[in-house]
Amino acid sequence: MVSPAIALAFIPFLMTLIIRYRHYFLLFWRAVILRKIQDYTTGLSREERAFQYVMTHSIPGDLENILSTFDTWCYRSEYLSNVGPEKGKILERLISETVPLTVLELGTYCGYSALRMARNLSLSARLYTVEMDKGNAAVAEKIIRLAGFDEDMVEQIIGPTDEIIPQLRERFGVDKFDFVFMNHWKRCYLRDLQLLEDYDLLQEGSIVVADNVIFTGAPHFMQYAKSCGKYSWKIHRTHLEYFRHIRDGMAELTYIGLKGGT
């Protein structure tokens, strides 16, 4: 049994630990503990609760208002792993600079990042967004249509990314993607990037943007991107969505194809 004197000696250490990592403890509270409590008491998923808030407090068709309402809920109520406003602006800038005609999003979640990308696309462009979770996909579909985007601009595809990617050319008539945004399971980043390569869905100059490469990180994906010789790359250092004290980053890869291997 630990003596009181020994237990007291650990108090300063524990206090230092809590203070130093308080933002991570807060993230754990909001993302895990609070979510479970609210799931139990409301009978709704966190994503459904966010949708109810957006429906109640936003203006249909007003994209900026819908995004800011999402952000308000995430700052003040519960945590959602949207791309968030800081990284969202980077994503929008990259879309505006590259002017893609075909865009693929892996991980629709609640539709937040799809809205940010879609509003910067030309009228002739098309965004295909893939979501595995049917509940999240239902929320995203409502949010995307609430913002005023139809299926000619934003088409949602429901299913696992490793099943959908091989079907994109035959089923959806896509030849190549100019821009790809990855914001799904980090462990799937590398697998899905290689699937895009294997099915010849990238062309020289295609941009691949991957979120959360610092927190929680995607080390195998980044190691491959840096060493395979098929990409030039850079990291946009930012912060975790809705937590300005937790460092994060987005990877921007530019596909150069086999030229990089020679």
Side-chain angles (χ1 to χ4, degrees):
M1 184 174 180
V2 178
S3 70
I6 295 176
L8 286 172
F10 275 98
I11 291 177
F13 170 75
L14 291 174
M15 291 301 296
T16 301
L17 194 66
I18 291 171
I19 292 171
R20 182 174 181 180
Y21 295 102
R22 62 191 183 279
H23 304 295
Y24 297 92
F25 286 121
L26 179 59
L27 173 62
F28 182 76
W29 163 257
R30 293 185 62 202
V32 180
I33 304 301
L34 182 60
R35 175 184 184 176
K36 290 183 179 297
I37 293 171
Q38 295 285 58
D39 286 353
Y40 178 78
T41 57
T42 66
L44 300 173
S45 71
R46 175 177 56 180
E47 294 74 23
E48 289 171 327
R49 292 191 294 275
F51 172 70
Q52 285 190 347
Y53 182 88
V54 172
M55 281 293 293
T56 304
H57 294 85
S58 66
I59 302 170
D62 188 332
L63 181 53
E64 190 62 42
N65 180 261
I66 292 170
L67 289 170
S68 64
T69 303
F70 247 125
D71 292 333
T72 298
W73 193 85
C74 292
Y75 279 122
R76 297 180 180 178
S77 298
E78 297 179 64
Y79 173 79
L80 285 179
S81 54
N82 297 319
V83 70
E86 182 186 11
K87 289 185 284 187
K89 290 176 182 176
I90 295 173
L91 183 61
E92 289 189 52
R93 175 174 58 80
L94 293 175
I95 288 284
S96 296
E97 290 174 351
T98 55
V99 196
L101 291 178
T102 51
V103 179
L104 174 65
E105 178 180 39
L106 301 180
T108 315
Y109 195 40
C110 292
Y112 180 97
S113 51
L115 297 187
R116 286 196 171 272
M117 289 190 287
R119 71 171 174 178
N120 289 277
L121 293 176
S122 66
L123 293 177
S124 58
R126 191 173 179 86
L127 166 61
Y128 300 86
T129 179
V130 182
E131 174 57 48
M132 179 179 69
D133 186 283
K134 292 182 179 179
N136 292 346
V139 169
E141 181 73 15
K142 295 172 187 176
I143 291 292
I144 292 168
R145 306 314 167 204
L146 180 71
F149 295 110
D150 59 23
E151 292 186 356
D152 290 333
M153 175 67 78
V154 181
E155 181 169 356
Q156 188 175 50
I157 306 168
I158 302 174
T161 53
D162 61 330
E163 293 181 9
I164 298 298
I165 291 173
Q167 302 175 21
L168 286 169
R169 177 171 282 111
E170 181 177 349
R171 181 177 165 190
F172 298 96
V174 178
D175 183 30
K176 309 280 186 181
F177 285 104
D178 303 311
F179 194 100
V180 178
F181 179 51
M182 295 185 170
N183 195 19
H184 55 320
W185 292 105
K186 313 315 164 200
R187 65 175 181 268
C188 299
Y189 280 13
L190 176 56
R191 179 201 68 191
D192 290 346
L193 181 67
Q194 291 176 328
L195 278 174
L196 291 169
E197 295 172 359
D198 292 344
Y199 285 87
D200 197 27
L201 291 167
L202 300 176
Q203 59 188 339
E204 185 177 349
S206 292
I207 302 295
V208 179
V209 176
D211 193 15
N212 303 123
V213 296
I214 294 178
F215 184 89
T216 53
H220 299 298
F221 169 82
M222 287 307 304
Q223 182 181 16
Y224 175 80
K226 294 175 181 179
S227 63
C228 70
K230 299 177 183 178
Y231 302 91
S232 60
W233 61 274
K234 66 172 71 172
I235 300 292
H236 298 275
R237 297 190 178 275
T238 60
H239 303 89
L240 183 66
E241 48 274 15
Y242 311 112
F243 278 86
R244 63 186 181 88
H245 295 288
I246 299 178
R247 294 179 180 178
D248 195 9
M250 304 172 76
E252 178 191 345
L253 315 182
T254 302
Y255 186 64
I256 55 179
L258 297 177
K259 292 180 180 180
T262 60

